[in-house]
Structure formats: C-alpha cells, structure tokens
Amino acid sequence: MPLIYKPKQEEKLSITPYIDESSQIINSYAGKWTSIGAYNKIIESSFGDYTYTMDDVTVNYTEIGKFCSIASHVCINPVQHPMNRVTQHHMTYRKVSYGFGSEDDEEIFDWRRTQRVKIGHDVWIGHGAIIMKGVEIGTGAVIASGSIVTKNVDPYTIVAGVPAKPIKRRFSPEISDCLLKISWWDWSREKLETHFDELNDVETFIVAHRK
Ligand SMILES: CC(C)(COP(=O)(O)OP(=O)(O)OC[C@H]1O[C@@H](n2cnc3c(N)ncnc32)[C@H](O)[C@@H]1OP(=O)(O)O)[C@@H](O)C(=O)NCCC(=O)NCCS
C-alpha cells in the first residue's frame, strides 16, 4: 500500500494563541501569535509573543520570552520529588487521589514553584532537550538536540551535550551586544513588518539599527 501524503490544513496564526486540542494547559499565559503543538502539557508557565512549541512538549513553572522555537519532545523543568521522605512516590503529596487524605500536601507544589526556569527571547531549543530546574537561558541561545541543561546559558551561546556545555557562539560578542541593545523582539508589529526583510542579514541589520 503506497503511503500518500495528505497535508493537514494549515491554520493561519493570529493574535489569539493557537492551542492544539490535545494539549493540557493549567494556569498559564500565552501572548500574541503563539502556537502550542499537539500533546503538550503545560503547568503555571508563560509564553511570550510568537513563541511556539511542537508536539509532546512539557513545560512546568517557566517564563519563556518572545520568538522562541521549542522542538518536539522537549521537557522544561521536569518537577522534583521529595527525596528525603521514606518514599519518593507521589502518594505522600497527592493524598486525595490515593484516598490517604481529604487534602493534598500543597507544600510540595509551593516548593516546586520556587524552582522556576527563565528563558529569554529568540531561544531555539532542539529536539528532546531537557532544561532542569532553576536554569536561566539567555536571549538568542541555542540548546542542541538531546542536551540536558543544568547550568545557566549566556545570551547567543550554543550549548550541547549531557550535561550541556558551550560549544560555540552564534555571533561575536560585539554583534550579540548590539542585538541585545536593539532588542528587536520588543518592536511593535508595525515596525517588525516594515523591517521584516532585514532580519535575514545580521550585519546590515546592525548597521541600520545600532544604538
Ligand atoms: C546545536 C546545533 C545547532 C549545532 O549545529 P552546527 O552549528 O551545524 O554544529 P556542528 O554540527 O558543526 O557541530 C559542532 C560540534 O557540536 C557537536 N554537536 C552538535 N550537535 C550536538 C548535539 N545535539 N549534542 C552533542 N553534541 C553536538 C558536534 O559533534 C560538533 O563537535 P566537534 O566540534 O567536537 O566535532 C545542531 O547540532 C542542533 O542540535 N540543532 C538542533 C536540531 C533540532 O533539534 N531541530 C528540531 C526542529 S525545531
């Protein structure tokens, strides 16, 4: 039987966030032109304008900036279990589900809320990467596919491996500084449309907009 490609009808994005119906979202926020792919699970997190996720992405307790690209099977902030209790099993805090109490142990959830991840703007997170608790990822960074990020990542730096280490920079420190000063991700939609074609050439972009 030949496999016949049948493209899914492409949805045009808009200022209203697009969320695939298979995804589960709890107490989270998404800005304009955002898109959340299939089978995502998102808890108490925020997504800046234009940021998108592909399929099977998990995001817990995280602030994500604008224009970020998050590939499939990424996990941001896998939550921690209490290791100092007799058992690490979640029945000790999800008491209601297991019939061990009438209220869950909120202390554990509050503890998880203190371990938030922060991701800047224009960050690309590759397929299957895992970003661990409390990590901050600078604007413009790249996380290679399959990496496990345990330490903060500087802006415009490419990290790879387990644990992830810097392998190179996207641009020179001078160009990175100029881009951070220009902060094009904060431009209005109108300004972005006016200068849209300039986004493909970093040298001329900087000459035109440097501060
Ligand atoms: C990080 C990345 C952007 C680097 O691409 P690149 O600039 O072309 O880099 P290279 O392929 O030249 O690799 C540079 C070095 O990093 C290593 N490297 C690249 N990707 C790696 C990864 N995912 N994990 C570990 N090491 C990696 C290479 O082995 C090479 O090491 P060496 O210098 O010792 O030989 C790319 O490898 C990557 O992971 N892209 C993400 C793809 C993805 O997940 N897409 C999902 C769709 S959104």
Side-chain angles (χ1 to χ4, degrees), residues 74-122:
V74 163
C75 181
I76 302 176
N77 204 357
V79 294
Q80 306 294 318
H81 284 214
M83 294 179 282
N84 54 353
R85 293 185 175 181
V86 172
T87 175
Q88 310 180 95
H89 190 276
H90 65 179
M91 67 178 172
T92 65
Y93 49 97
R94 295 192 189 279
K95 292 191 258 188
V96 178
S97 300
Y98 288 88
F100 286 121
S102 54
E103 280 177 24
D104 285 337
D105 180 357
E106 287 300 324
E107 212 179 287
I108 292 297
F109 301 102
D110 288 342
W111 168 62
R112 287 176 177 171
R113 288 185 183 99
T114 65
Q115 302 179 320
R116 297 185 76 83
V117 166
K118 291 198 180 91
I119 296 174
H121 309 290
D122 190 31

Short mmCIF file of all heavy atoms in Angstrom, two decimals, residues 74-122:
data_model
loop_
_atom_site.label_atom_id
_atom_site.label_comp_id
_atom_site.label_asym_id
_atom_site.label_seq_id
_atom_site.Cartn_x
_atom_site.Cartn_y
_atom_site.Cartn_z
N VAL A 74 10.67 18.20 23.89
CA VAL A 74 11.44 18.99 24.86
C VAL A 74 10.73 18.91 26.22
O VAL A 74 9.50 18.87 26.28
CB VAL A 74 11.55 20.46 24.38
CG1 VAL A 74 11.95 21.40 25.52
CG2 VAL A 74 12.53 20.57 23.22
N CYS A 75 11.53 18.89 27.29
CA CYS A 75 10.94 18.97 28.63
C CYS A 75 11.61 20.11 29.39
O CYS A 75 12.85 20.11 29.55
CB CYS A 75 11.13 17.65 29.38
SG CYS A 75 10.40 17.72 31.02
N ILE A 76 10.84 21.08 29.79
CA ILE A 76 11.40 22.22 30.53
C ILE A 76 10.92 22.12 31.97
O ILE A 76 9.73 22.12 32.25
CB ILE A 76 10.94 23.56 29.90
CG1 ILE A 76 11.38 23.62 28.43
CG2 ILE A 76 11.53 24.73 30.69
CD1 ILE A 76 10.89 24.85 27.69
N ASN A 77 11.88 21.99 32.86
CA ASN A 77 11.64 21.91 34.30
C ASN A 77 10.86 20.66 34.73
O ASN A 77 9.76 20.77 35.28
CB ASN A 77 10.91 23.20 34.78
CG ASN A 77 11.15 23.46 36.26
OD1 ASN A 77 11.80 22.66 36.94
ND2 ASN A 77 10.63 24.56 36.75
N PRO A 78 11.44 19.48 34.46
CA PRO A 78 10.80 18.26 34.99
C PRO A 78 10.75 18.40 36.52
O PRO A 78 11.76 18.71 37.14
CB PRO A 78 11.75 17.13 34.56
CG PRO A 78 13.06 17.78 34.25
CD PRO A 78 12.75 19.20 33.85
N VAL A 79 9.59 18.19 37.11
CA VAL A 79 9.45 18.52 38.54
C VAL A 79 10.15 17.50 39.43
O VAL A 79 10.31 16.34 39.07
CB VAL A 79 7.96 18.65 38.94
CG1 VAL A 79 7.32 19.85 38.26
CG2 VAL A 79 7.19 17.35 38.63
N GLN A 80 10.53 17.99 40.59
CA GLN A 80 11.30 17.17 41.54
C GLN A 80 10.37 16.47 42.53
O GLN A 80 9.35 17.04 42.93
CB GLN A 80 12.28 18.05 42.32
CG GLN A 80 13.19 18.90 41.45
CD GLN A 80 14.15 18.07 40.63
OE1 GLN A 80 14.74 17.10 41.12
NE2 GLN A 80 14.35 18.44 39.36
N HIS A 81 10.76 15.28 42.93
CA HIS A 81 10.06 14.58 44.01
C HIS A 81 10.85 14.77 45.30
O HIS A 81 12.08 14.93 45.26
CB HIS A 81 9.97 13.08 43.71
CG HIS A 81 8.94 12.74 42.67
ND1 HIS A 81 8.20 11.58 42.71
CD2 HIS A 81 8.51 13.42 41.58
CE1 HIS A 81 7.37 11.55 41.68
NE2 HIS A 81 7.55 12.65 40.98
N PRO A 82 10.18 14.73 46.45
CA PRO A 82 10.92 14.85 47.72
C PRO A 82 11.74 13.57 47.95
O PRO A 82 11.16 12.48 48.04
CB PRO A 82 9.81 15.02 48.77
CG PRO A 82 8.58 14.46 48.15
CD PRO A 82 8.73 14.54 46.66
N MET A 83 13.06 13.70 48.02
CA MET A 83 13.91 12.51 48.14
C MET A 83 14.18 12.15 49.60
O MET A 83 14.70 11.09 49.89
CB MET A 83 15.24 12.75 47.41
CG MET A 83 15.07 12.89 45.92
SD MET A 83 16.62 13.19 45.07
CE MET A 83 16.90 14.92 45.40
N ASN A 84 13.84 13.10 50.52
CA ASN A 84 14.17 12.87 51.93
C ASN A 84 13.05 12.19 52.71
O ASN A 84 13.18 11.93 53.89
CB ASN A 84 14.56 14.20 52.60
CG ASN A 84 13.50 15.27 52.42
OD1 ASN A 84 12.53 15.05 51.67
ND2 ASN A 84 13.66 16.40 53.06
N ARG A 85 11.93 11.94 52.04
CA ARG A 85 10.85 11.21 52.72
C ARG A 85 11.13 9.71 52.62
O ARG A 85 11.94 9.29 51.78
CB ARG A 85 9.50 11.54 52.06
CG ARG A 85 9.09 13.00 52.29
CD ARG A 85 7.72 13.33 51.75
NE ARG A 85 7.36 14.70 52.12
CZ ARG A 85 6.23 15.29 51.82
NH1 ARG A 85 5.29 14.63 51.13
NH2 ARG A 85 5.98 16.53 52.22
N VAL A 86 10.43 8.92 53.41
CA VAL A 86 10.62 7.46 53.38
C VAL A 86 10.42 6.95 51.95
O VAL A 86 11.20 6.14 51.44
CB VAL A 86 9.64 6.77 54.36
CG1 VAL A 86 9.69 5.24 54.19
CG2 VAL A 86 9.97 7.15 55.79
N THR A 87 9.34 7.47 51.32
CA THR A 87 9.12 7.10 49.92
C THR A 87 9.09 8.34 49.04
O THR A 87 8.64 9.42 49.47
CB THR A 87 7.80 6.32 49.74
OG1 THR A 87 7.61 6.10 48.35
CG2 THR A 87 6.61 7.07 50.30
N GLN A 88 9.55 8.18 47.82
CA GLN A 88 9.53 9.29 46.85
C GLN A 88 8.24 9.27 46.04
O GLN A 88 8.00 10.15 45.23
CB GLN A 88 10.72 9.15 45.90
CG GLN A 88 12.01 8.95 46.64
CD GLN A 88 13.17 8.82 45.72
OE1 GLN A 88 13.86 9.79 45.44
NE2 GLN A 88 13.38 7.62 45.19
N HIS A 89 7.43 8.24 46.25
CA HIS A 89 6.19 8.08 45.48
C HIS A 89 5.25 9.27 45.74
O HIS A 89 5.17 9.75 46.88
CB HIS A 89 5.52 6.77 45.89
CG HIS A 89 4.38 6.40 45.00
ND1 HIS A 89 3.12 6.89 45.17
CD2 HIS A 89 4.34 5.58 43.92
CE1 HIS A 89 2.32 6.40 44.23
NE2 HIS A 89 3.05 5.60 43.45
N HIS A 90 4.52 9.69 44.71
CA HIS A 90 3.72 10.91 44.87
C HIS A 90 2.47 10.74 45.73
O HIS A 90 1.77 11.71 45.99
CB HIS A 90 3.42 11.57 43.51
CG HIS A 90 2.56 10.79 42.57
ND1 HIS A 90 2.21 11.30 41.32
CD2 HIS A 90 1.98 9.57 42.66
CE1 HIS A 90 1.44 10.41 40.71
NE2 HIS A 90 1.30 9.37 41.48
N MET A 91 2.24 9.52 46.25
CA MET A 91 1.06 9.36 47.12
C MET A 91 1.18 10.22 48.38
O MET A 91 0.18 10.61 48.97
CB MET A 91 0.87 7.90 47.51
CG MET A 91 1.96 7.35 48.38
SD MET A 91 1.64 5.64 48.83
CE MET A 91 3.18 5.23 49.65
N THR A 92 2.45 10.55 48.81
CA THR A 92 2.58 11.32 50.07
C THR A 92 2.11 12.76 49.90
O THR A 92 1.83 13.43 50.89
CB THR A 92 4.02 11.32 50.63
OG1 THR A 92 4.88 12.01 49.72
CG2 THR A 92 4.53 9.91 50.90
N TYR A 93 2.06 13.25 48.64
CA TYR A 93 1.52 14.61 48.46
C TYR A 93 0.25 14.64 47.62
O TYR A 93 -0.55 15.55 47.74
CB TYR A 93 2.59 15.58 47.95
CG TYR A 93 3.40 15.14 46.76
CD1 TYR A 93 3.06 15.55 45.47
CD2 TYR A 93 4.53 14.35 46.93
CE1 TYR A 93 3.83 15.17 44.39
CE2 TYR A 93 5.29 13.95 45.85
CZ TYR A 93 4.93 14.36 44.57
OH TYR A 93 5.68 13.97 43.50
N ARG A 94 0.02 13.65 46.79
CA ARG A 94 -1.26 13.56 46.08
C ARG A 94 -2.19 12.64 46.87
O ARG A 94 -2.63 11.59 46.40
CB ARG A 94 -1.03 13.04 44.66
CG ARG A 94 -0.21 13.98 43.80
CD ARG A 94 -0.24 13.58 42.34
NE ARG A 94 0.72 14.35 41.57
CZ ARG A 94 0.53 15.57 41.11
NH1 ARG A 94 -0.61 16.19 41.34
NH2 ARG A 94 1.46 16.19 40.42
N LYS A 95 -2.45 13.06 48.10
CA LYS A 95 -3.17 12.20 49.05
C LYS A 95 -4.60 11.94 48.61
O LYS A 95 -5.13 10.84 48.80
CB LYS A 95 -3.16 12.86 50.43
CG LYS A 95 -1.79 12.90 51.06
CD LYS A 95 -1.86 13.30 52.51
CE LYS A 95 -1.49 14.75 52.69
NZ LYS A 95 -1.36 15.17 54.06
N VAL A 96 -5.23 12.95 48.00
CA VAL A 96 -6.65 12.82 47.62
C VAL A 96 -6.81 11.69 46.60
O VAL A 96 -7.65 10.80 46.76
CB VAL A 96 -7.19 14.15 47.05
CG1 VAL A 96 -8.64 14.00 46.61
CG2 VAL A 96 -7.06 15.28 48.09
N SER A 97 -5.94 11.69 45.59
CA SER A 97 -6.06 10.68 44.51
C SER A 97 -5.97 9.27 45.06
O SER A 97 -6.60 8.35 44.54
CB SER A 97 -4.94 10.85 43.49
OG SER A 97 -5.00 12.10 42.92
N TYR A 98 -5.16 9.07 46.10
CA TYR A 98 -4.93 7.72 46.62
C TYR A 98 -5.79 7.39 47.84
O TYR A 98 -5.62 6.35 48.47
CB TYR A 98 -3.44 7.54 46.95
CG TYR A 98 -2.60 7.45 45.68
CD1 TYR A 98 -2.09 8.59 45.07
CD2 TYR A 98 -2.37 6.22 45.07
CE1 TYR A 98 -1.36 8.52 43.89
CE2 TYR A 98 -1.65 6.14 43.90
CZ TYR A 98 -1.16 7.28 43.31
OH TYR A 98 -0.44 7.19 42.14
N GLY A 99 -6.68 8.34 48.22
CA GLY A 99 -7.57 8.09 49.35
C GLY A 99 -6.87 8.11 50.70
O GLY A 99 -7.36 7.53 51.66
N PHE A 100 -5.69 8.78 50.77
CA PHE A 100 -4.98 8.86 52.06
C PHE A 100 -5.30 10.14 52.82
O PHE A 100 -4.74 10.39 53.87
CB PHE A 100 -3.46 8.78 51.83
CG PHE A 100 -2.97 7.40 51.49
CD1 PHE A 100 -2.30 7.16 50.30
CD2 PHE A 100 -3.17 6.34 52.36
CE1 PHE A 100 -1.84 5.90 49.97
CE2 PHE A 100 -2.71 5.06 52.05
CZ PHE A 100 -2.04 4.84 50.86
N GLY A 101 -6.13 11.01 52.26
CA GLY A 101 -6.48 12.24 52.95
C GLY A 101 -7.48 13.02 52.13
O GLY A 101 -7.75 12.69 50.97
N SER A 102 -7.99 14.10 52.75
CA SER A 102 -9.01 14.89 52.04
C SER A 102 -8.36 16.09 51.35
O SER A 102 -9.00 16.81 50.60
CB SER A 102 -10.09 15.34 53.00
OG SER A 102 -9.49 16.02 54.08
N GLU A 103 -7.09 16.35 51.65
CA GLU A 103 -6.37 17.47 51.01
C GLU A 103 -4.99 17.02 50.60
O GLU A 103 -4.35 16.22 51.30
CB GLU A 103 -6.21 18.62 52.01
CG GLU A 103 -7.45 19.47 52.15
CD GLU A 103 -7.28 20.56 53.20
OE1 GLU A 103 -6.13 20.96 53.48
OE2 GLU A 103 -8.31 20.98 53.75
N ASP A 104 -4.52 17.56 49.46
CA ASP A 104 -3.15 17.26 49.03
C ASP A 104 -2.16 18.06 49.86
O ASP A 104 -2.51 19.04 50.51
CB ASP A 104 -2.99 17.59 47.54
CG ASP A 104 -3.66 16.56 46.65
OD1 ASP A 104 -3.85 15.41 47.12
OD2 ASP A 104 -4.00 16.89 45.51
N ASP A 105 -0.88 17.66 49.82
CA ASP A 105 0.18 18.36 50.55
C ASP A 105 0.70 19.50 49.67
O ASP A 105 1.61 19.31 48.86
CB ASP A 105 1.31 17.35 50.85
CG ASP A 105 2.45 17.99 51.62
OD1 ASP A 105 2.40 19.21 51.86
OD2 ASP A 105 3.40 17.26 51.94
N GLU A 106 0.13 20.70 49.87
CA GLU A 106 0.43 21.85 48.99
C GLU A 106 1.88 22.31 49.12
O GLU A 106 2.42 22.96 48.24
CB GLU A 106 -0.51 23.02 49.29
CG GLU A 106 -1.92 22.81 48.79
CD GLU A 106 -2.02 22.60 47.27
OE1 GLU A 106 -1.24 23.22 46.54
OE2 GLU A 106 -2.84 21.77 46.83
N GLU A 107 2.52 21.95 50.25
CA GLU A 107 3.91 22.36 50.48
C GLU A 107 4.82 21.93 49.33
O GLU A 107 5.71 22.67 48.91
CB GLU A 107 4.38 21.70 51.78
CG GLU A 107 5.38 22.49 52.57
CD GLU A 107 5.74 21.70 53.82
OE1 GLU A 107 4.90 21.62 54.75
OE2 GLU A 107 6.84 21.14 53.84
N ILE A 108 4.60 20.73 48.83
CA ILE A 108 5.44 20.21 47.74
C ILE A 108 5.25 21.05 46.47
O ILE A 108 6.22 21.40 45.79
CB ILE A 108 5.11 18.73 47.45
CG1 ILE A 108 5.52 17.85 48.63
CG2 ILE A 108 5.77 18.24 46.16
CD1 ILE A 108 7.01 17.84 48.93
N PHE A 109 4.00 21.43 46.19
CA PHE A 109 3.74 22.22 44.99
C PHE A 109 4.33 23.62 45.14
O PHE A 109 4.87 24.19 44.20
CB PHE A 109 2.24 22.23 44.67
CG PHE A 109 1.70 20.83 44.46
CD1 PHE A 109 0.98 20.19 45.44
CD2 PHE A 109 1.98 20.15 43.28
CE1 PHE A 109 0.51 18.89 45.26
CE2 PHE A 109 1.52 18.84 43.09
CZ PHE A 109 0.79 18.22 44.09
N ASP A 110 4.26 24.18 46.37
CA ASP A 110 4.85 25.50 46.61
C ASP A 110 6.38 25.44 46.45
O ASP A 110 7.00 26.35 45.93
CB ASP A 110 4.50 26.01 48.02
CG ASP A 110 3.03 26.40 48.11
OD1 ASP A 110 2.40 26.61 47.05
OD2 ASP A 110 2.51 26.47 49.24
N TRP A 111 6.96 24.35 46.89
CA TRP A 111 8.42 24.15 46.76
C TRP A 111 8.80 24.10 45.27
O TRP A 111 9.76 24.75 44.84
CB TRP A 111 8.79 22.85 47.48
CG TRP A 111 10.15 22.30 47.24
CD1 TRP A 111 11.33 22.89 47.54
CD2 TRP A 111 10.46 21.02 46.66
NE1 TRP A 111 12.37 22.06 47.21
CE2 TRP A 111 11.86 20.90 46.66
CE3 TRP A 111 9.70 19.97 46.17
CZ2 TRP A 111 12.52 19.78 46.16
CZ3 TRP A 111 10.35 18.84 45.68
CH2 TRP A 111 11.73 18.76 45.67
N ARG A 112 8.00 23.41 44.48
CA ARG A 112 8.28 23.35 43.03
C ARG A 112 8.18 24.74 42.40
O ARG A 112 8.94 25.07 41.50
CB ARG A 112 7.28 22.42 42.34
CG ARG A 112 7.57 20.97 42.64
CD ARG A 112 6.52 20.08 42.04
NE ARG A 112 6.84 18.68 42.28
CZ ARG A 112 6.02 17.67 42.01
NH1 ARG A 112 4.83 17.90 41.50
NH2 ARG A 112 6.40 16.43 42.24
N ARG A 113 7.25 25.55 42.90
CA ARG A 113 7.07 26.90 42.34
C ARG A 113 8.28 27.79 42.60
O ARG A 113 8.43 28.82 41.95
CB ARG A 113 5.82 27.57 42.94
CG ARG A 113 4.54 26.97 42.43
CD ARG A 113 3.31 27.72 42.94
NE ARG A 113 2.13 27.05 42.46
CZ ARG A 113 1.39 26.18 43.17
NH1 ARG A 113 1.70 25.93 44.43
NH2 ARG A 113 0.35 25.59 42.63
N THR A 114 9.13 27.42 43.58
CA THR A 114 10.32 28.24 43.85
C THR A 114 11.46 27.90 42.89
O THR A 114 12.50 28.53 42.91
CB THR A 114 10.84 28.03 45.29
OG1 THR A 114 11.29 26.66 45.41
CG2 THR A 114 9.78 28.32 46.33
N GLN A 115 11.29 26.88 42.06
CA GLN A 115 12.39 26.40 41.20
C GLN A 115 12.10 26.70 39.73
O GLN A 115 12.24 25.85 38.86
CB GLN A 115 12.56 24.90 41.41
CG GLN A 115 12.85 24.55 42.87
CD GLN A 115 12.99 23.08 43.09
OE1 GLN A 115 12.26 22.26 42.53
NE2 GLN A 115 13.95 22.71 43.92
N ARG A 116 11.68 27.94 39.46
CA ARG A 116 11.23 28.29 38.11
C ARG A 116 12.40 28.37 37.13
O ARG A 116 13.53 28.69 37.50
CB ARG A 116 10.49 29.63 38.12
CG ARG A 116 9.22 29.59 38.97
CD ARG A 116 8.45 30.87 38.88
NE ARG A 116 7.73 30.98 37.62
CZ ARG A 116 6.54 30.45 37.39
NH1 ARG A 116 5.93 29.76 38.33
NH2 ARG A 116 5.95 30.60 36.22
N VAL A 117 12.10 28.09 35.88
CA VAL A 117 13.08 28.25 34.78
C VAL A 117 12.75 29.56 34.06
O VAL A 117 11.57 29.91 33.94
CB VAL A 117 12.99 27.05 33.81
CG1 VAL A 117 13.74 27.32 32.52
CG2 VAL A 117 13.54 25.79 34.49
N LYS A 118 13.82 30.29 33.61
CA LYS A 118 13.59 31.53 32.86
C LYS A 118 14.31 31.45 31.53
O LYS A 118 15.51 31.16 31.48
CB LYS A 118 14.10 32.74 33.66
CG LYS A 118 13.28 33.01 34.89
CD LYS A 118 13.52 34.44 35.41
CE LYS A 118 12.69 34.68 36.65
NZ LYS A 118 13.38 34.34 37.88
N ILE A 119 13.58 31.72 30.47
CA ILE A 119 14.15 31.63 29.12
C ILE A 119 13.95 32.98 28.43
O ILE A 119 12.84 33.54 28.47
CB ILE A 119 13.45 30.48 28.34
CG1 ILE A 119 13.78 29.15 29.04
CG2 ILE A 119 13.89 30.47 26.88
CD1 ILE A 119 13.07 27.94 28.49
N GLY A 120 15.03 33.50 27.83
CA GLY A 120 14.97 34.82 27.18
C GLY A 120 14.19 34.78 25.87
O GLY A 120 13.33 33.92 25.65
N HIS A 121 14.53 35.73 24.98
CA HIS A 121 13.84 35.84 23.68
C HIS A 121 14.67 35.14 22.59
O HIS A 121 15.90 35.02 22.72
CB HIS A 121 13.68 37.31 23.31
CG HIS A 121 13.06 38.13 24.41
ND1 HIS A 121 11.75 37.99 24.78
CD2 HIS A 121 13.59 39.07 25.24
CE1 HIS A 121 11.48 38.82 25.78
NE2 HIS A 121 12.59 39.48 26.08
N ASP A 122 14.01 34.74 21.52
CA ASP A 122 14.69 34.18 20.36
C ASP A 122 15.61 33.00 20.72
O ASP A 122 16.72 32.87 20.21
CB ASP A 122 15.51 35.28 19.64
CG ASP A 122 16.04 34.82 18.30
OD1 ASP A 122 15.39 34.00 17.63
OD2 ASP A 122 17.15 35.29 17.91
#
